[in-house]
Amino acid sequence: MDITPFTPGCGAVVSGIQLAGLKCDDLKKLRNAFSDYGLLFFRDQKLSKEDHVDFAERWGSIVLNKFFQSAEGYPNIAEVRKEQHQETNIGGGWHADHSYDKEPALGSILVARSLPDRGGDTCFADAANAFDALSPGLQQTLEGLRALHSNEHLYGEDGYYQKTDLSQQLGGMDRVGGATHPMVIRHPDSGRKVLFVNPGHTIGIEGWSNKESFALLNFLYGHTEQDAFTCRFNWLPGSVAFWDNRRTWHLAKNDYRGQFRLMHRITLKGVPLLGTT
Ligand code: SIN
């Protein structure tokens, strides 16, 4: 197995293995790489839907997405689908999956199933490396704060998706909700400090006004979105991305108008997140 950084500040490419039927030793090496990088890319995988579920179950427990449709016959696989006629895509803004849950998801394993001729890349950001680059003064301030996360503004009755052509596809408006988490977490596996806010789901800082919250949050978003901490992955048939939701954000580009794109996503159950103080 070969593990090479993808960009200096974001992700790694793993080559020389097939995720289907992975040997125990290789799984161990992969766990270490996941802890080191928080974002792994694989090419040329032969991963059936069964293999996708098997690999996910070897890693941990699967958590179902409350809003997406699942692949027929596979309740554990969420479909990230955009039809030819649809204008809106799922996950088109920076976000971390399920950060609005009390136990935010460990990670997501995304498999390319049908790709547009061109376009449809996914961008990623590494919020652990972004945190490390902040000044010690700001780091200390952030470590004492908690942020509120929600999905209501996206999936609720008056939410963003209800006003788009995805409204029929993204069900479960009755399941909206949120949680608060430390703004800086101690990563449960690597022990690193990670900035745990994201533009998609963070709706404010506990005890701060909206105006105050977004003055700081927008600064942190601009900081994290810099080239130094981000990368852009170009999907090919057989590509797989596996990211840590506690450490990374992602954004699906919507630059393939008039073409079909289908991805299969399995999300893994996480644990309650603890702060650093
Ligand atoms: C997602 O937000 O999980 C979808 C990412 C993608 O479709 O590239």
Side-chain angles (χ1 to χ4, degrees):
M1 182 189 314
D2 214 38
I3 300 156
T4 318
F6 187 63
T7 63
C10 188
V13 181
V14 182
S15 56
I17 54 157
Q18 284 292 321
L19 295 173
L22 198 65
K23 290 198 230 88
C24 283
D25 273 3
D26 285 339
L27 186 64
K28 215 165 143 193
K29 281 187 206 152
L30 216 53
R31 284 191 192 278
N32 290 336
F34 192 69
S35 177
D36 289 346
Y37 292 97
L39 170 63
L40 302 177
F41 300 118
F42 307 84
R43 297 283 190 197
D44 303 320
Q45 295 295 309
K46 290 183 180 53
L47 204 68
S48 67
K49 295 194 217 42
E50 285 82 5
D51 296 332
H52 191 183
V53 175
D54 280 355
F55 174 68
E57 284 179 338
R58 286 182 75 189
W59 201 277
S61 307
I62 294 174
V63 62
L64 296 188
N65 185 283
K66 290 180 263 203
F67 306 108
F68 296 6
Q69 287 173 350
S70 55
E72 209 184 329
Y74 295 85
N76 287 339
I77 300 181
E79 281 195 348
V80 181
R81 171 186 284 269
K82 186 180 178 222
E83 303 288 350
Q84 266 179 299
H85 63 84
Q86 286 177 317
E87 293 291 339
T88 317
N89 71 335
I90 296 177
W94 284 113
H95 65 285
D97 299 332
H98 298 208
S99 75
Y100 44 73
D101 286 341
K102 289 195 171 50
E103 297 182 355
L106 178 159
S108 297
I109 307 160
L110 191 70
V111 179
R113 294 296 180 200
S114 181
L115 294 168
D117 292 339
R118 54 191 69 80
D121 295 354
T122 307
C123 301
F124 293 89
D126 186 323
N129 290 345
F131 179 76
D132 286 351
L134 293 170
S135 68
L138 182 51
Q139 287 179 339
Q140 210 178 350
T141 301
L142 296 173
E143 286 184 69
L145 298 172
R146 294 180 67 82
L148 292 83
H149 298 245
S150 174
N151 50 33
E152 195 162 355
H153 57 291
L154 295 174
Y155 300 101
E157 230 171 295
D158 294 323
Y160 166 78
Y161 284 119
Q162 278 313 295
K163 301 180 185 108
T164 71
D165 54 5
L166 288 176
S167 61
Q168 300 302 309
Q169 196 170 315
L170 297 173
M173 268 56 85
D174 51 328
R175 291 172 234 153
V176 291
T180 69
H181 302 292
M183 277 182 73
V184 182
I185 59 159
R186 175 76 64 189
H187 192 282
D189 300 325
S190 69
R192 280 185 69 174
K193 292 179 180 180
V194 185
L195 180 64
F196 194 72
V197 289
N198 67 84
H201 300 132
T202 306
I203 55 164
I205 297 174
E206 208 170 58
W208 290 34
S209 69
N210 260 355
K211 195 172 165 190
E212 291 162 348
S213 293
F214 282 96
L216 178 54
L217 288 169
N218 286 333
F219 167 78
L220 296 171
Y221 297 158
H223 170 75
T224 306
E225 288 164 22
Q226 291 180 89
D227 287 349
F229 316 117
T230 55
C231 60
R232 179 171 177 151
F233 186 63
N234 162 236
W235 294 93
L236 297 170
S239 298
V240 176
F242 182 14
W243 62 83
D244 188 325
N245 278 306
R246 289 84 55 96
R247 170 167 170 181
T248 62
W249 307 346
H250 55 283
L251 169 161
K253 297 296 286 181
N254 190 11
D255 54 359
Y256 52 97
R257 194 164 192 235
Q259 294 196 66
F260 178 65
R261 180 176 183 270
L262 176 65
M263 314 295 277
H264 279 172
R265 195 179 93 185
I266 295 185
T267 302
L268 294 166
K269 192 174 176 325
V271 293
L273 296 175
L274 303 177
T276 55
T277 50

